[in-house]
Amino acid sequence: MKKFLATVTKILDVIYGWGILIALFVGGLMFFGFLAAFFIGGETATEICVFIHKTIFKWLIYGGNIIVLLGLLNMYLKKQKSLTISDTNHEAG
């Protein structure tokens, strides 16, 4: 059972890492899209902002939530206590 959990946590580590990386990258692209729309102005800027808001932003929020839940599940399976004050013991038990 421990070997299986170790394999699952390694897979979740990879998924979590890539998921957060992709979410940050897409968030940066959205920022530059809004920045470009600011400099373009007019109706074109409105269309760019509406496109970003209605398509990309919605999926980024959903994907980010799923990735965070997978990260929390990973912490639970590893029995990590990352949100504690003392940093001497990172494992429950």
Side-chain angles (χ1 to χ4, degrees), residues 14-49:
V14 171
I15 293 171
Y16 178 74
W18 279 103
I20 291 297
L21 183 70
I22 290 169
L24 288 172
F25 182 72
V26 171
L29 288 178
M30 285 175 32
F31 167 75
F32 287 118
F34 283 124
L35 190 65
F38 177 76
F39 286 114
I40 292 171
E43 284 293 320
T44 307
T46 305
E47 291 174 10
I48 291 171
C49 290

Side-chain angles (χ1 to χ4, degrees), residues 75 79-86 89-91:
M75 284 176 47
K79 297 181 181 177
Q80 285 183 338
K81 288 185 178 180
S82 297
L83 302 175
T84 58
I85 293 174
S86 70
N89 186 10
H90 292 289
E91 291 188 8

Side-chain angles (χ1 to χ4, degrees), residues 1 4 36-37 46-47 53 71 78 90:
M1 185 68 174
F4 174 73
T46 305
E47 291 174 10
H53 176 72
K78 286 181 177 180
H90 292 289

